[in-house]
Amino acid sequence: MITPALREALRARGDETAVLCHTGAGARAGLAGLPTRPSDLVLDLDAHPLGAPLDLPGGERPEAGLVAVVAATTTDLRRALTTAVHLPRAAHVLVALVAVPGHQDPPLPASPGMGQWRDLEEVRVRRADRQGWLCELFFPNGVDTAEVLDAVLHGTRGRRRGLAVAPLAALSGPEGALWRPGDTGATGVPATGPVPLRRVTPVADLALRVTARGGRAAWEDAAVPALDRATTGADAWADLAGEDGHARLREARSAAGPDPVSAIAPVDELSVNPVGFTKAEKGPLGDLTAHGDRAVVRAGDKVLVDVAPDGTVTDVDLARLRHLRGVRVAWSGHTGPSAAVRAVASLAAGGVPLLSGPVPAWAAGLGRPLGDLLEGAADADLTDRLRREEHSVRLRRAALRTHGLRTRWRSLAAEAGVPVPPAPRISVILCTRRPEMVGFALAQIARQRGVDLEVVLTLHGFPADLPGVAAAVAEAAATGLRIVVHEADADQVFGSVLNDSAARASGDLLAKWDDDDWYGPDHLADLALARAYSGAELVGTGQDFVYLQEVDVTVWRSRESETATRFIAGGTILTDRVVLEETGGFRPLPRAIDTQLLLAVTRGGGRIHRTHGLGYVLRRTGGGHTWSEDMAYFLHNYARQWAGWRPSSLLEGEPAEFGRSITENTGGQR
């Protein structure tokens, strides 16, 4: 399907030049046997160095009749988007995706919205064989090719573009796109600089030069600092085996400073992430090992994934591994240390349960937290459904927080002394009618880690000077927790109270919190992570763990996680302030407030993502819940149940309640 479409496009382009590009393993096959002309260009986007312009007719602003990009996967297309800044304008742009994972939306282009596409003549989007897509756009006066590729990628993720990566980057070298995938704002520059100006302002705040090895040219831009990194092939085993191997290894790592993690090209979390994770504890165990001259993941004699020489793992690769209960890392057969670390970090970021023997010293770039998790796991952890998912969550946390694109570039900025904006603050909205639950809820919030947060505590129908309440607030504030206290009238409708609470919040993100449920210390950090990799307007967890207080039983429902959904637990909602504004806020109703917000988000074209539910326990008592299902519903819908309170190990127990000792001594509340 792809090759015939390209052949037809070449016939229709007239006398103009065609640029045929490919990216990712096997994508070049789609360009085989095409009727090209001597003036046409066939380009490997993975090999083209950033900062090297194409040799095309047309001077500084060349144009082509056709630019076609064949990408093996969405991950490859995102990487190629960075290199695409060198592609010419074109009247006809064809984008082919050879394969996409089943959970991905069709690549319906999203117009940039500034009038650039007013002369668009035609758009065609159709299936390419069983797993791929073809997208073609026709502009009689030409269009910026990188802009079209960006629009196609945007279409696969819904209306949200995703979080920007800071700082603005200039890139030089053959693997520059590995360090900044999916960024049309990145600029290619020569190895010596300088960074171009837009009027009087540099177009980037930090330059990164990626080179194979050997002496690096002097950097000639005093206004923009530059850092150097080695390509993944610079420490290839084939080179390190020679007489000067140790010297080459030191040379490859010297530019990255003392931290071996910072020498590793990051994981693109927008395409390599746990979305699509499955409960597959009964599946076979795969192996990341050598097969001939390459690294592969195989199950028995069947090769499931060929790992790219640079260690890249794609979204399609992850989809091919979801049926495995896990993958055993053999630490052999990789191109070299950097490629091996990238592959293992990518699998972990994708939520693939991994285990291994001792991590070799040359793999220090993994980071100690991720290495410890790999060494500490056993096959028995992967054959139990709950323990398997717990291990997967720990791995993905460590990998994404250590090797994620945003994390890496914040680290590079710090190394170069370039300031970046602070991480978004989360405002926790806690509204309660029960004075006796204030200390319990604040203790859950105060132990949150890895996020900048405040809590807006709304006392619905009672004053803040009640002894138990005042003591709990004081004890929570003593931990450094920022608390805004608001008293709402008892007769004010609940939805209106929530809107007043949101108006008092100063954070960029708003998280809803129930006063009687249990939350693990990484609850908010996990939601923030899911927001980053899912691109959803609203994220939350399922009601997986439920404690039935009347009968003292905990049930685990083991629901599907890391998926788009229409329903999440209301006490776990995290969304941007602007999303709440766009949906009209909370409806002024006494109940079903959370459901109404979820409906409003989906009606407005937004997406809801459900991440894992292992760090949250819903408490069910005899009554007073806005969700009307009775206890029998939970007792007949579960994967496991236990007597007593039995959360996931990710909850890390229960914190001591604030204000209890003081109120007991004063005879106050509780």
Side-chain angles (χ1 to χ4, degrees):
M1 180 67 176
I2 292 174
T3 302
L6 288 168
R7 188 175 290 113
E8 177 62 30
L10 285 169
R11 281 198 292 263
R13 50 73 184 260
D15 297 329
E16 297 177 286
T17 298
V19 180
L20 308 178
C21 310
H22 60 92
T23 175
R28 185 178 184 123
L31 307 181
L34 294 175
T36 57
R37 301 170 184 161
S39 61
D40 295 338
L41 177 65
V42 177
L43 180 64
D44 181 354
L45 290 175
D46 297 334
H48 186 76
L50 267 296
L54 301 180
D55 185 16
L56 289 170
E60 293 185 1
R61 294 284 292 173
E63 293 202 11
L66 168 69
V67 172
V69 177
V70 180
T73 69
T74 310
T75 301
D76 299 308
L77 184 60
R78 278 186 51 78
R79 183 178 64 254
L81 181 59
T82 306
T83 311
V85 297
H86 292 305
L87 294 178
R89 291 173 59 86
H92 179 187
V93 179
L94 185 152
V95 184
L97 284 163
V98 178
V100 299
H103 60 74
Q104 183 177 291
D105 288 338
L108 298 172
S111 171
M114 293 290 289
Q116 303 99 307
W117 287 14
R118 286 176 184 153
D119 65 340
L120 173 66
E121 191 170 81
E122 185 179 357
V123 177
R124 303 175 188 166
V125 180
R126 61 192 188 277
R127 284 282 186 184
D129 303 317
R130 295 180 60 186
Q131 293 183 298
W133 286 96
L134 272 169
C135 185
E136 296 182 78
L137 297 92
F138 299 84
F139 294 84
N141 297 315
V143 68
D144 185 286
T145 299
E147 183 181 279
V148 172
L149 299 182
D150 188 33
V152 171
L153 276 169
H154 185 189
T156 67
R157 300 183 55 78
R159 68 178 185 177
R160 281 188 64 130
R161 185 164 292 278
L163 308 181
V165 180
L168 289 173
L171 302 167
S172 176
E175 286 187 357
L178 279 185
W179 288 82
R180 196 76 174 210
D183 187 2
T184 55
T187 302
V189 295
T192 58
V195 173
L197 300 179
R198 183 174 290 117
R199 295 185 179 176
V200 296
T201 306
V203 298
D205 302 313
L206 174 62
L208 184 72
R209 303 189 297 177
V210 185
T211 56
R213 63 170 175 263
R216 293 184 173 95
W219 181 247
E220 300 176 358
D221 192 326
V224 179
L227 296 176
D228 292 303
R229 290 296 184 269
T231 61
T232 53
D235 61 354
W237 294 125
D239 291 340
L240 299 182
E243 292 182 2
D244 61 344
H246 290 289
R248 291 184 178 186
L249 181 59
R250 286 193 297 272
E251 181 184 304
R253 295 177 176 174
S254 62
D259 181 12
V261 171
S262 70
I264 307 300
V267 173
D268 179 12
E269 62 261 47
L270 284 185
S271 63
V272 179
N273 55 55
V275 174
F277 176 80
T278 59
K279 322 281 185 177
E281 75 281 2
K282 297 185 184 300
L285 182 65
D287 289 280
L288 176 61
T289 186
H291 183 75
D293 60 350
R294 66 192 193 278
V296 300
V297 179
R298 66 182 182 189
D301 295 331
K302 184 177 182 181
V303 173
L304 302 176
V305 167
D306 283 298
V307 180
D310 61 15
T312 295
V313 173
T314 72
D315 50 352
V316 173
D317 293 336
L318 292 173
R320 291 170 178 158
L321 303 178
R322 291 300 183 198
H323 69 287
L324 301 177
R325 71 174 183 270
V327 171
R328 182 170 41 221
V329 179
W331 298 113
S332 64
H334 306 276
T335 310
S338 297
V341 168
R342 286 198 75 233
V344 174
S346 297
L347 291 172
V352 177
L354 303 175
L355 54 87
S356 85
V359 176
W362 54 258
L366 271 181
R368 195 64 259 168
L370 186 52
D372 289 344
L373 288 169
L374 289 172
E375 293 179 347
D379 191 26
D381 296 314
L382 308 187
T383 55
D384 177 272
R385 177 180 288 197
L386 178 55
R387 287 161 59 188
R388 176 181 180 271
E389 188 170 358
E390 289 171 341
H391 181 53
S392 169
V393 171
R394 292 188 178 102
L395 284 171
R396 68 185 74 158
R397 282 176 182 166
L400 290 168
R401 293 174 186 174
T402 303
H403 294 282
L405 183 63
R406 284 152 191 81
T407 298
R408 184 69 82 252
W409 275 90
R410 293 182 80 87
S411 173
L412 293 173
E415 181 181 337
V418 176
V420 294
R425 174 181 292 180
I426 299 176
S427 291
V428 177
I429 306 300
L430 170 59
C431 179
T432 179
R433 285 186 176 273
R434 297 178 285 196
E436 69 276 11
M437 298 307 297
V438 171
F440 173 86
L442 288 178
Q444 305 281 335
I445 299 171
R447 71 167 178 161
Q448 297 298 300
R449 58 197 178 202
V451 290
D452 178 23
L453 64 86
E454 68 172 5
V455 57
V456 179
L457 172 61
T458 298
L459 310 176
H460 194 182
F462 60 92
D465 58 3
L466 288 177
V469 174
V473 171
E475 192 173 344
T479 68
L481 181 65
R482 293 182 293 268
I483 306 177
V484 177
V485 180
H486 165 54
E487 297 178 8
D489 293 338
D491 58 355
Q492 186 177 359
V493 69
F494 183 47
S496 176
V497 173
L498 289 174
N499 284 325
D500 286 350
S501 299
R504 287 166 169 78
S506 65
D508 311 283
L509 309 176
L510 302 178
K512 194 166 174 293
W513 200 277
D514 282 354
D515 62 0
D516 60 344
D517 296 335
W518 290 271
Y519 300 81
D522 289 294
H523 170 73
L524 290 177
D526 284 349
L527 291 182
L529 203 59
R531 168 181 174 266
Y533 62 69
S534 71
E537 278 75 9
L538 188 149
V539 297
T541 79
Q543 292 157 329
D544 287 18
F545 276 85
V546 182
Y547 175 60
L548 305 173
Q549 185 166 297
E550 283 186 298
V551 293
D552 192 25
V553 167
T554 302
V555 298
W556 179 45
R557 304 171 66 208
S558 187
R559 304 190 68 195
E560 183 183 11
S561 64
E562 302 301 347
T563 183
T565 184
R566 292 183 177 273
F567 182 78
I568 58 170
T572 69
I573 286 172
L574 175 76
T575 192
D576 294 43
R577 177 185 291 278
V578 67
V579 173
L580 192 65
E581 293 172 354
E582 289 173 350
T583 54
F586 296 101
R587 289 190 64 188
L589 299 170
R591 60 188 299 129
I593 306 303
D594 306 326
T595 302
Q596 292 300 311
L597 176 61
L598 301 180
L599 287 171
V601 169
T602 55
R603 274 199 305 266
R607 289 183 298 154
I608 300 168
H609 181 81
R610 183 167 63 221
T611 187
H612 75 88
L614 304 185
Y616 170 70
V617 178
L618 173 73
R619 186 200 306 252
R620 294 292 297 191
T621 57
H625 295 278
T626 56
W627 189 21
S628 59
E629 299 290 353
D630 61 20
M631 190 181 304
Y633 173 83
F634 298 102
L635 289 174
H636 289 89
N637 292 275
Y638 65 85
R640 292 185 194 170
Q641 73 171 26
W642 302 270
W645 185 72
R646 197 323 196 150
S648 160
S649 63
L650 296 185
L651 199 80
E652 298 187 18
E654 181 178 17
E657 181 178 330
F658 287 146
R660 175 182 286 273
S661 60
I662 298 175
T663 56
E664 286 176 347
N665 293 336
T666 60
Q669 295 293 318
R670 293 188 68 84

